[in-house]
Amino acid sequence: SIGVTNMSKRNAVIRQLTAVETLGCAQVICSDKTGTLTQNCMTVVDVDVKDENREMLNIIGAINSTANWSNGNQVLGNPTEGAILKSIGSELTESLRTSYQILSCIPFSSAYKYMVTQAKDIKTQNEIIVIKGAPEVIARIIKNDNFLNEVSNQQARGRRAISAAIIGSDNYETIKEQLENGAELDNCQYIGTWFIEDPVRNDVPDAIKKCYGAGIDVVMMTGDNLKTGTEIARQAGFKNIWAIEAKDFEEAIKNKQNGREFPNVIARCTPTNKLDILK
């Protein structure tokens, strides 16, 4: 009871007394990255786009998104999409959205890591199908990986990358079926990539240090790619970093690395991956 009371003074509400005893025996803390180790204050800090494609990149960012402006200065919805909208600006976002009629979309999913929107230009009546998502996924779908070197350089600086492309077909149902079957698409055009920073929270390095001092290991599970996850872990003060992708977890734990029994940075985690790894 004393433990529960003390923790409540630190804004940690415990519903079951036994949880305090369990917490006192913790040897490993598994943590998400975004909003937990980082500030969840995402900002577009750079873009990879040719001048002639800049307008189309803004169009894709505006119409192929579930985030929305609120009161003209705040963005509601997915933080990554919110960062992209902020880089476009509220006035231009609304102008672009009123210029296009959304016909259909494939919502973003952490399973396939892309979002697709079919839209019609109200003035010209021309239809477009656009896609944005994880760079390596977009590169595979559009059969163009020329932009991945720049993406890799930016990810090594701890930045999240979102790439965009135009799908060169007006048959939405066929495109949808092909994507569902994991097919690569023809006649697509790479448009650009947004690079987004989400700084480590100021109190995190000290908290990680205290965990190590108490004999508690810390593991970060993130949906981000390997390079971004590794750099954020470094900034957060992780020791003996062993980074892998979630799909490689079972194979990786057959051997120790960096004096570790388990990896402490696990990238490209879906919610299901996180649950399975914890089990």
Side-chain angles (χ1 to χ4, degrees), residues 133-136 147-163 193-196 224-232 235 268:
E136 66 272 21
F147 60 96
L148 291 185
N149 281 339
E150 175 61 18
V151 167
S152 180
N153 292 335
Q154 296 275 356
Q155 288 172 339
R157 300 170 68 179
R159 293 171 175 175
R160 174 176 293 184
I162 303 293
S163 297
T193 299
W194 296 277
F195 299 109
I196 301 168
D224 273 338
N225 71 88
L226 204 60
K227 285 191 174 182
T228 301
T230 300
E231 175 58 18
I232 293 298
Q235 293 176 18
R268 288 299 184 217

Side-chain angles (χ1 to χ4, degrees), residues 21-250:
E21 183 178 0
T22 303
L23 185 62
C25 299
Q27 293 175 300
V28 180
I29 295 175
C30 292
S31 171
D32 186 27
K33 179 183 76 69
T34 304
T36 307
L37 300 180
T38 62
Q39 297 175 18
N40 199 20
C41 183
M42 297 191 184
T43 304
V44 173
V45 293
D46 201 356
V47 290
D48 172 41
V49 61
K50 295 180 179 177
D51 288 340
E52 61 266 29
N53 291 334
R54 194 172 294 274
E55 181 180 359
M56 180 51 67
L57 187 66
N58 286 337
I59 291 171
I60 296 174
I63 68 173
N64 190 30
S65 174
T66 57
N68 290 291
W69 283 96
S70 174
N71 299 322
N73 58 3
Q74 290 184 318
V75 178
L76 303 179
N78 180 281
T80 301
E81 292 183 334
I84 292 172
L85 290 193
K86 288 178 183 176
S87 72
I88 298 171
S90 60
E91 290 186 9
L92 182 54
T93 299
E94 296 308 316
S95 173
L96 293 171
R97 287 183 171 180
T98 55
S99 300
Y100 283 85
Q101 176 189 356
I102 306 300
L103 303 177
S104 189
C105 78
I106 302 172
F108 177 83
S109 166
S110 57
Y112 43 76
K113 298 182 178 65
Y114 61 76
M115 178 179 178
V116 176
T117 294
Q118 178 193 25
K120 179 191 293 185
D121 187 321
I122 295 174
K123 183 181 292 185
T124 65
Q125 295 297 294
N126 292 331
E127 292 186 11
I128 59 171
I129 301 175
V130 297
I131 185 171
K132 80 174 194 307
E136 66 272 21
V137 174
I138 300 302
R140 178 189 63 79
I141 290 173
I142 69 174
K143 296 191 286 189
N144 176 4
D145 61 2
N146 293 335
F147 60 96
L148 291 185
N149 281 339
E150 175 61 18
V151 167
S152 180
N153 292 335
Q154 296 275 356
Q155 288 172 339
R157 300 170 68 179
R159 293 171 175 175
R160 174 176 293 184
I162 303 293
S163 297
I166 297 176
I167 297 175
S169 171
D170 57 2
N171 193 328
Y172 177 77
E173 292 303 321
T174 299
I175 292 298
K176 183 178 179 181
E177 183 178 349
Q178 289 177 313
L179 288 172
E180 287 174 350
N181 292 329
E184 298 173 350
L185 305 179
D186 295 318
N187 302 319
C188 296
Q189 181 187 358
Y190 168 71
I191 297 300
T193 299
W194 296 277
F195 299 109
I196 301 168
E197 278 189 354
D198 183 15
V200 171
R201 285 170 47 182
N202 294 332
D203 57 344
V204 163
D206 187 52
I208 299 293
K209 185 177 180 181
K210 287 181 178 178
C211 287
Y212 287 147
I216 299 173
D217 194 19
V218 184
V219 175
M220 180 175 74
M221 295 173 161
T222 175
D224 273 338
N225 71 88
L226 204 60
K227 285 191 174 182
T228 301
T230 300
E231 175 58 18
I232 293 298
R234 186 194 66 78
Q235 293 176 18
F238 278 52
K239 293 181 179 178
N240 301 329
I241 295 175
W242 177 13
I244 64 162
E245 291 191 356
K247 63 181 177 62
D248 301 323
F249 180 78
E250 293 291 341

